[in-house]
Amino acid sequence: MLLSQILDTSSSQRVVAREGTDARIVNGADSILGLAKRAIARDMTLAALIAEQGLGDSVDLDAAYAEGRVLAPIAPDDPARLHLTGTGLTHLGSASTRNAMHQKAGADDNATDSMKMFRLGVEGGKPLGGKTGVQPEWFYKGNGHALVAPGKPITSPGFALDAGEEPEIAGIYIVSYEGVPHRIGFALANEFSDHVTERQNYLYLAHSKLRPASIGPEILLGDLPAHIEGTSRVVRDGEVLWEKPFVSGEDNMSHTLANLEHHHFKYEIFRKPGDVHVHMFGTATLSFADDIRTQQGDIFEIEAAPFGLPLKNPLAIDTTRPADAPVAVKKL
C-alpha cells in the first residue's frame, strides 16, 4: 500500500491510499502523521487501521500532482520537530565516486577516508546473530524547514558552488510517547547536496549537506524490497540532459537497514517523544560524477516502480542575497 497527502479541490487536506491504480481517500484522516499516532495508540499497523476506517472517493493522483496539490507525505505542525538526516557510503557502488572526489595524493595505501569507511561497511555492516554492526557515515541536513514538497522548487543558496541531486530511499519515522521509534514506511528522496564544496575538502561534508531535500510523493508501507531499480534524470528545457539507473535495497547495500536505523536512533536525542525523522539511506548514482553542472530551471526526476509517482522538483537559485554578503550578528 502507498500513502500520500493531497489538497482536494476544496483545499482540504486528505490522505490517499493506493493499491495498484486504485487511489482512494482514507475516511476520517487528514494527515499520515495523525494516522500513525492513532495506529501507535491502538497497537495496530497502518494498513489495519486504514482497513478499519475504510476508503472513500477515488482520486486522480496524476491530476493532483500536475495541479500542485500533492503535499510532502509527512509534515509535523512544528517543523522544528522533524529531523532530516542520512547516511553515506552504504551502497556497494558508492565508494568509487566518493573516492574520486576525496582522493589524496600520497595517502596510506592510496585509500581515502571515504574508501576506508566503505570497506568498514562491507566488512561489518551486515552483522549476524543479532549483533551490532559497524556504524556508517552520518550527516545532518536540517529540520522540517528544509523539507520540500514534491513538485516544488528545491532552492540552492546563492553561496553554493554546486546544486546536485542524490536519488535515495528514505525511512519515515515517528517516536512514540514511550520513546520508541516507529517506522511509518519508505519514500523516494532527493538528498540534494553541494558536491563541489564537498570535493574541496572532506571536512566540508557537513557544509555540503546543509541544503533542502525532497521526499515522496508516496510512502510505501511495510518492508522495503531487497532489490530496487530506479531511474534518476535531469531535464533541461524539456529535454533529458542526463539519465542513469540506480539501485537500492539491502541486496545492493553494505549495511542492513536495521544497522543503519540502530546507529541513528541509539542517540537519546533522536528518541524524543513526538519527533519525526526522515532518514536517507545513501546512493551510488550522481549526475555530478558525470560532470553535469545543473542550472536554474533544471528539473530533477527520480522514479522507482515500488514507490508509485516519481519525485520531481525544479531547481531554483536564491538570488535574494549576494553570495558574498556577510551575516552580521548584533551585540546585546
Side-chain angles (χ1 to χ4, degrees):
M1 180 180 288
L2 295 162
L3 295 183
S4 56
Q5 296 186 152
I6 69 167
L7 295 176
D8 64 19
T9 52
S10 62
S11 296
S12 296
Q13 185 168 307
R14 305 290 188 186
V15 175
V16 177
R18 181 156 76 93
E19 293 186 280
T21 59
D22 186 25
R24 294 180 179 273
I25 297 293
V26 177
N27 293 332
D30 60 7
S31 77
I32 294 173
L33 187 57
L35 275 175
K37 291 178 179 178
R38 202 175 309 164
I40 291 171
R42 296 189 57 192
D43 195 24
M44 300 175 68
T45 65
L46 275 167
L49 179 62
I50 290 167
E52 181 181 284
Q53 294 191 193
L55 302 177
D57 294 340
S58 295
V59 175
D60 186 336
L61 277 177
D62 290 302
Y65 204 0
E67 294 164 5
R69 295 189 285 110
V70 173
L71 308 174
I74 200 77
D77 292 336
D78 180 359
R81 299 298 303 275
L82 186 149
H83 301 270
L84 202 57
T85 59
T87 57
L89 297 168
T90 55
H91 283 64
L92 296 176
S94 61
S96 57
T97 300
R98 280 288 200 90
N99 200 51
M101 288 169 62
H102 304 149
Q103 192 69 50
K104 302 173 185 175
D108 291 344
D109 71 14
N110 292 321
T112 65
D113 287 341
S114 293
M115 184 58 76
K116 292 174 183 177
M117 177 69 78
F118 173 74
R119 289 173 181 169
L120 286 173
V122 171
E123 295 167 1
K126 292 184 173 181
L128 300 175
K131 296 180 180 179
T132 298
V134 66
Q135 62 186 1
E137 175 195 48
W138 182 96
F139 56 83
Y140 173 75
K141 288 192 67 67
N143 58 24
H145 292 287
L147 187 62
V148 178
K152 302 304 182 185
I154 288 183
T155 301
S156 182
F159 58 78
L161 303 179
D162 173 57
E165 87 301 327
E166 295 199 16
E168 306 195 12
I169 307 301
I172 317 297
Y173 308 85
I174 180 173
V175 182
S176 74
Y177 286 100
E178 293 76 33
V180 178
H182 290 255
R183 188 195 314 117
I184 296 171
F186 301 94
L188 293 174
N190 185 345
E191 196 272 287
F192 183 72
S193 300
D194 182 342
H195 302 104
V196 172
T197 291
E198 179 184 348
R199 186 174 60 181
Q200 288 180 330
N201 189 302
Y202 188 61
L203 295 180
Y204 282 157
L205 177 71
H207 288 279
S208 76
K209 295 298 187 182
L210 286 172
R211 300 290 187 274
S214 185
I215 62 168
E218 301 178 83
I219 293 179
L220 174 68
L221 301 187
D223 295 328
L224 187 70
H227 176 73
I228 296 166
E229 297 182 13
T231 303
S232 180
R233 66 179 64 90
V234 178
V235 177
R236 180 175 294 171
D237 299 326
E239 301 290 335
V240 175
L241 174 69
W242 173 89
E243 181 177 82
K244 206 164 190 177
F246 70 91
V247 293
S248 192
E250 285 192 359
D251 286 355
N252 304 293
M253 297 173 68
S254 53
H255 289 260
T256 63
L257 292 177
N259 194 53
L260 299 179
E261 290 173 334
H262 162 74
H263 284 296
H264 177 70
F265 287 109
K266 70 183 182 183
Y267 295 102
E268 185 181 357
I269 194 173
F270 294 145
R271 301 195 308 273
K272 296 303 180 185
D275 278 4
V276 174
H277 293 255
V278 174
H279 192 63
M280 288 161 279
F281 297 122
T283 188
T285 304
L286 313 172
S287 65
F288 178 80
D290 293 331
D291 295 322
I292 298 297
R293 298 297 178 266
T294 58
Q295 63 187 40
Q296 172 109 3
D298 288 350
I299 298 174
F300 302 116
E301 297 184 358
I302 300 169
E303 61 184 2
F307 297 93
L309 294 173
L311 176 59
K312 300 181 181 181
N313 299 94
L315 172 62
I317 308 296
D318 184 3
T319 59
T320 61
R321 183 182 185 86
D324 58 353
V327 176
V329 176
K330 291 185 177 181
K331 181 172 65 176
L332 293 177

